[in-house]
Amino acid sequence: MKLLTSIIVSVILAGTALVYLGSTKRIADQQAPAAELTVENLNSATLVADTTNRIPTDEATVTEARKEAGMSTSLEHFVQQLQSTKGKRLIETLESFWSICLSQHNCEDKLAELKQIMTPDYFELTKSYPELSLLWQQKLGTFIFESDDPLASRIAQFKQQAILVWGAWAEVLLSDQLAAYDLKLEQQNLTHESPEQYREAFEALLEKSQEHDLGLNTDVAKFEKAVSSLSNTMNEQQKSAYIDELERTYLSPTQRQDIRSREQQVTAQKNRLRDYHVELNQLESKLSQQRRTEYEGLTDAQWQTIHRQKITEFRRTFFSHQDGI
């Protein structure tokens, strides 16, 4: 009983110190319930609430104790997660912290608490993240690569710009993106001696990069990634053999059929577009000849009206026939 009483008294004294040191607004923020309470936080809050059933105290003290227990646990969890992740997950953790504290209007308070429990380097990263993130987005918008620049040159430029913004944190924050670029670069050197060897070399690359989030979480994504690296110097027969090997490895029979159907649709659309332009060019040539002969006496305005009608009629007829109408 004495121990529990001491806990409540400590909470009250802590609240008194905050009144002395903080502003009225800060106290108001601190008395609001913590929105990010986890299951563990709720358990801690319940424990404090249970003690009030046995020890007389006012409701404000209980609320403050519950809030402090939740906030402390939440921030400790944030620090632990921050220091154990990298890449996309690290960015998501930082984004989550700032999103929550901004919505609760207590970022300065949270940063003050974090400073007491974080290493200086991680604290500076957290504190500076919004500003650096905005700077990085602006930097990305100004990237200009020459179309004939080698891939290795583009990646090197990207890394250089990342270091200028993020410093030593560049390889930590952007580890997944950099790993994806490195994978793409190494794919250029994959052996094409046989479909089987190509597949094995590609799988070895994936194995080496498995600690990173490359967006290749499905077999379909892996298949598409492997196909994208096939050499453009291959003839259709060679490329078909490689694709067949990759399909057998990564795709189910249903997925293979779906790809065949999409390929047929794409081919049909290409043929349709080709036929449209061929027939349209033929019509334009015919109209040009008619303008010099049977429509020679028309004014330009009258001719434009007839020309527009002929083109509209052609399009309507062409697409209605193509759609089977």
Side-chain angles (χ1 to χ4, degrees):
M1 183 68 73
K2 291 181 179 180
L3 178 58
L4 293 174
T5 303
S6 298
I7 294 174
I8 299 300
V9 170
S10 298
V11 171
I12 296 174
L13 290 175
T16 303
L18 287 172
V19 171
Y20 177 76
L21 296 173
S23 64
T24 303
K25 178 180 181 299
R26 180 174 299 180
I27 296 174
D29 289 340
Q30 291 173 336
Q31 288 178 342
E36 72 277 20
L37 286 177
T38 61
V39 174
E40 291 79 2
N41 297 342
L42 289 174
N43 290 338
S44 300
T46 302
L47 177 60
V48 176
D50 289 343
T51 64
T52 62
N53 293 331
R54 298 189 297 272
I55 301 176
T57 185
D58 57 49
E59 184 177 351
T61 302
V62 175
T63 301
E64 182 71 11
R66 183 184 294 112
K67 186 272 298 180
E68 289 187 358
M71 179 182 293
S72 176
T73 304
S74 175
L75 291 180
E76 289 175 358
H77 175 72
F78 166 75
V79 173
Q80 181 180 8
Q81 189 173 17
L82 195 71
Q83 295 177 343
S84 61
T85 58
K86 60 181 180 179
K88 294 178 182 178
R89 291 188 61 190
L90 176 57
I91 292 176
E92 289 171 358
T93 301
L94 290 165
E95 293 279 359
S96 176
F97 167 80
W98 280 100
S99 176
I100 292 174
C101 81
L102 286 171
S103 67
Q104 296 179 348
H105 308 289
N106 61 355
C107 293
E108 291 186 5
D109 293 340
K110 290 292 185 71
L111 286 173
E113 293 189 46
L114 285 176
K115 190 173 184 179
Q116 304 301 317
I117 58 176
M118 295 181 76
T119 58
D121 52 347
Y122 274 97
F123 174 74
E124 288 300 323
L125 171 64
T126 304
K127 179 182 178 182
S128 305
Y129 178 77
E131 179 182 355
L132 294 179
S133 178
L134 178 60
L135 180 60
W136 178 238
Q137 294 303 317
Q138 294 173 343
K139 182 73 70 173
L140 289 175
T142 62
F143 277 176
I144 299 178
F145 296 118
E146 297 296 333
S147 58
D148 56 349
D149 280 350
L151 178 61
S153 175
R154 300 182 187 185
I155 294 175
Q157 292 180 54
F158 177 88
K159 291 181 178 180
Q160 182 181 19
Q161 295 300 320
I163 293 174
L164 289 177
V165 174
W166 296 106
W169 288 105
E171 292 191 3
V172 181
L173 284 165
L174 305 176
S175 63
D176 293 328
Q177 193 169 357
L178 293 174
Y181 287 151
D182 289 340
L183 174 65
K184 188 173 182 178
L185 187 61
E186 292 187 55
Q187 279 183 269
Q188 294 183 332
N189 300 321
L190 289 178
T191 176
H192 289 79
E193 294 182 5
S194 72
E196 294 78 9
Q197 289 182 340
Y198 175 81
R199 173 185 54 76
E200 291 173 356
F202 176 74
E203 290 181 340
L205 281 183
L206 294 183
E207 180 70 21
K208 187 171 67 172
S209 306
Q210 63 180 345
E211 66 176 288
H212 299 285
D213 182 357
L214 304 178
L216 303 177
N217 301 321
T218 66
D219 286 338
V220 173
K222 294 174 184 177
F223 166 78
E224 293 175 345
K225 187 69 173 177
V227 170
S228 70
S229 299
L230 293 177
S231 174
N232 293 327
T233 61
M234 290 183 178
N235 59 42
E236 289 300 321
Q237 184 177 1
Q238 290 174 322
K239 183 171 290 189
S240 178
Y242 280 78
I243 291 177
D244 286 343
E245 172 68 22
L246 295 171
E247 284 182 348
R248 286 192 296 269
T249 302
Y250 295 112
L251 302 181
S252 67
T254 301
Q255 290 170 329
R256 296 179 68 178
Q257 183 57 44
D258 289 342
I259 288 179
R260 293 287 181 272
S261 298
R262 289 200 298 271
E263 289 175 346
Q264 292 173 358
Q265 291 174 358
V266 170
T267 300
Q269 289 172 354
K270 288 181 178 179
N271 292 337
R272 184 180 187 183
L273 183 61
R274 180 201 60 203
D275 294 343
Y276 170 79
H277 284 293
V278 169
E279 295 184 30
L280 179 61
N281 289 335
Q282 291 174 348
L283 176 60
E284 289 284 10
S285 178
K286 179 180 178 181
L287 290 174
S288 178
Q289 183 178 4
Q290 289 177 336
R291 178 68 173 107
R292 294 190 300 269
T293 56
E294 58 189 286
Y295 294 115
E296 183 180 10
L298 298 181
T299 64
D300 287 341
Q302 290 172 326
W303 167 246
Q304 288 299 326
T305 300
I306 292 178
H307 181 274
R308 187 163 48 250
Q309 290 174 346
K310 295 288 186 180
I311 296 297
T312 300
E313 182 180 354
F314 160 74
R315 289 172 175 166
R316 184 184 301 114
T317 302
F318 178 86
F319 289 110
S320 64
H321 288 168
Q322 291 287 324
D323 294 333
I325 299 176

